[in-house]
Amino acid sequence: MKPIEIKKGIHWVGAVDWNVRDFHGYFIPKGTTYNSFLVPDQKVALFDAVKAPFRNALLHNIRKIIEPRKIDYIVVNHVEMDHSGALPELIDQVQPEKIICSAMGKKALLQHFHREDWPYEVVETGQEISLGSKTIQFLETRMLHWPDSMMSYIKEDKLLISSDGFGQHWATSERFDDEVDLDQLFVHAAKYYANILLPFSPLVGKLIESVQKLGLEIDMIAPDHGLIWRQNPSKIVEAYGRWSRQETRKKALIIYNTMWRSTEKMAMAIADGLGQEGVEFKILNLNLNHRSDVMTEVLDAKALILGSSTLNNGIMPPMADMLCYMKGLKPLHKIGTAFGSYGWSGEAVKILTGALEEMKVDVADPGLRVQFAPTHEDLQKCIELGQKMGRLVKGNGG
Ligand code: FEO
């Protein structure tokens, strides 16, 4: 993918990874990009590198604009390996005057690459560095989503180079939001938020406040993954505001695993009850839906209705995987209940209810257990459970 001038004198020189599918447990069926930005001013700055296997693609793109040796500053907004993997070779070739990073960034670079001899320059929020005609202002975004994370703002261009923030895992031949389907782009951005940034939501709210306090006017947001927000920067900031407040819609999710389809029959009957109350719902069998797609649905759902058969005094393995993942991502403001079929011991509903409580979900009903296959009466109780949850989702009480 050739370089693209995203603003006058600012070039995208990153790499598109069409073939990656896993991002530490987050399924990215459309690949991703590692965005890197070159600013050849009086001082030449490169913002962020790429994943190690793409180091040559990055150097190749830089060479189309300038000899890599002419780069003075490498700005490391974030040390995670998808942006820093190419750094050792890049730094060997470039021999930059400064490697600019946050204090935590310096610590993380040392812990990753063990190079005391690199020319670190530590910056903090509000600090500025002039490149000649352009000024970079730094904004630390600690724990968004690593301790080292920061963003770089180029004042004269009103451009925010936002590291992982506002990104999406989507490999495309296009580079800008106005060149792709906006609805699809927001689905990818929501998935990114739900799977990476959700546990840090209070900090996202504070970040938006600090941007307002610093009076940063933003004309373009260039994240390190996916499309650049040229046309709709305010729309993605608004969406981040909504997601960070963990606002929910009148939507219920039935997330389940089934052994011999008895739990599935219960799931369908609960869905009937939700449908009778006119509530939007989704039925998510964990054998067919990846944990990261389920999390995207969880982002704005009001009700989590979890189902599992009992297996060896426990729950089904894909449900255990889902709960482990979901707990870490800390969704808030949900109501929930549990259901499941069992043979003789029947612990699943208790385990699921305990997991909901641990996630601070308001358990609205003790849930339903059915021994072996559900009877007509059992299914009727499932429908009633669905109706009750539907009324609660609508805010009309149980
Ligand atoms: Fe894209 Fe946190 O790395």
Side-chain angles (χ1 to χ4, degrees):
M1 186 84 209
K2 65 177 177 21
I4 288 175
E5 191 170 33
I6 65 166
K7 283 225 169 211
K8 195 160 172 47
I10 303 175
H11 305 262
W12 177 92
V13 288
V16 182
D17 188 350
W18 294 93
N19 295 330
V20 64
R21 290 293 178 269
D22 174 68
F23 201 91
H24 47 59
Y26 162 3
F27 178 50
I28 51 172
K30 305 288 185 192
T32 193
T33 74
Y34 313 111
N35 297 339
S36 180
F37 303 96
L38 182 70
V39 184
D41 204 351
Q42 287 162 33
K43 287 286 187 184
V44 180
L46 180 76
F47 294 81
D48 300 320
V50 296
K51 203 172 172 180
F54 295 88
R55 59 174 81 84
N56 289 337
L58 172 64
L59 283 162
H60 185 66
N61 273 343
I62 294 169
R63 266 191 207 102
K64 285 182 185 160
I65 296 163
I66 202 162
E67 263 312 300
R69 278 270 183 183
K70 294 195 169 157
I71 294 174
D72 299 291
Y73 304 153
I74 296 180
V75 178
V76 179
N77 283 312
H78 178 30
V79 181
E80 193 165 9
M81 286 294 213
D82 50 328
H83 308 291
S84 70
L87 275 179
E89 193 163 305
L90 183 72
I91 290 168
D92 279 353
Q93 293 212 20
V94 168
Q95 297 291 312
E97 183 188 327
K98 291 178 182 175
I99 296 171
I100 298 170
C101 56
S102 66
M104 296 305 282
K106 178 179 174 184
K107 187 175 173 200
L109 284 167
L110 285 166
Q111 287 169 326
H112 279 74
F113 303 107
H114 316 293
R115 293 291 299 265
E116 298 278 352
D117 58 320
W118 284 355
Y120 303 101
E121 172 91 7
V122 168
V123 291
E124 55 189 35
T125 294
Q127 198 170 330
E128 293 182 2
I129 287 183
S130 173
L131 299 178
S133 69
K134 294 183 193 292
T135 316
I136 319 167
Q137 185 172 352
F138 300 97
L139 178 61
E140 289 175 87
T141 55
R142 199 174 276 208
M143 292 319 298
L144 280 180
H145 68 121
W146 274 24
D148 58 277
S149 300
M150 66 174 195
M151 297 184 180
S152 300
Y153 176 69
I154 301 184
K155 283 169 91 168
E156 293 74 9
D157 298 279
K158 300 179 183 170
L159 166 69
L160 183 67
I161 297 175
S162 60
S163 185
D164 280 340
F166 310 109
Q168 336 87 41
H169 285 312
W170 192 12
T172 50
S173 52
E174 296 75 22
R175 293 279 60 83
F176 295 101
D177 58 342
D178 48 285
E179 298 172 325
V180 298
D181 180 271
L182 198 59
D183 291 340
Q184 256 200 80
L185 180 59
F186 269 94
V187 170
H188 288 294
K191 183 170 181 176
Y192 192 94
Y193 190 93
N195 284 277
I196 303 279
L197 295 173
L198 188 62
F200 310 110
S201 288
L203 298 175
V204 174
K206 281 191 184 141
L207 167 68
I208 295 171
E209 275 171 31
S210 9
V211 168
Q212 282 158 353
K213 249 188 228 160
L214 287 168
L216 305 188
E217 278 180 64
I218 295 173
D219 181 55
M220 181 185 282
I221 298 177
D224 278 359
H225 295 291
L227 284 299
I228 294 164
W229 301 92
R230 172 169 69 180
Q231 195 76 46
N232 302 283
S234 58
K235 278 193 188 163
I236 187 64
V237 173
E238 276 161 33
Y240 264 53
R242 221 166 38 245
W243 296 332
S244 69
R245 291 188 293 275
Q246 298 219 33
E247 291 177 7
T248 60
R249 296 194 298 117
K250 293 178 180 177
K251 173 176 126 180
L253 303 180
I254 301 173
I255 304 167
Y256 75 99
N257 257 154
T258 191
M259 191 187 299
W260 293 109
R261 305 198 62 197
S262 291
T263 300
E264 184 165 72
K265 285 178 188 153
M266 296 177 76
M268 298 303 163
I270 292 168
D272 280 351
L274 289 165
Q276 286 170 22
E277 290 297 326
V279 162
E280 177 189 342
F281 61 85
K282 292 221 161 92
I283 303 176
L284 302 165
N285 179 338
L286 290 174
N287 286 339
L288 305 173
N289 293 277
H290 194 270
R291 63 176 94 81
S292 49
D293 291 316
V294 173
M295 276 316 300
T296 313
E297 294 294 342
V298 167
L299 182 60
D300 65 356
K302 180 67 193 169
L304 306 179
I305 304 174
L306 306 181
S308 175
S309 319
T310 294
L311 174 68
N312 298 330
N313 307 107
I315 53 176
M316 298 283 280
M319 178 57 83
D321 171 296
M322 183 72 240
L323 291 176
C324 171
Y325 191 68
M326 199 189 309
K327 270 183 216 169
L329 289 167
K330 299 185 174 64
L332 294 176
H333 314 315
K334 315 288 185 198
I335 60 169
T337 188
F339 65 97
S341 159
Y342 68 100
W344 47 94
S345 58
E347 290 89 344
V349 169
K350 193 171 166 201
I351 294 169
L352 295 177
T353 306
L356 288 170
E357 284 167 349
E358 216 181 303
M359 289 190 287
K360 300 188 172 51
V361 173
D362 180 6
V363 176
D365 188 278
L368 277 179
R369 289 191 325 160
V370 164
Q371 194 162 17
F372 289 114
T375 61
H376 177 76
E377 288 71 29
D378 291 328
L379 292 176
Q380 188 52 42
K381 284 184 193 156
C382 290
I383 292 171
E384 286 162 15
L385 178 61
Q387 289 170 329
K388 176 178 173 180
M389 295 304 289
R391 286 192 297 274
L392 288 169
V393 165
K394 289 193 294 186
N396 296 342

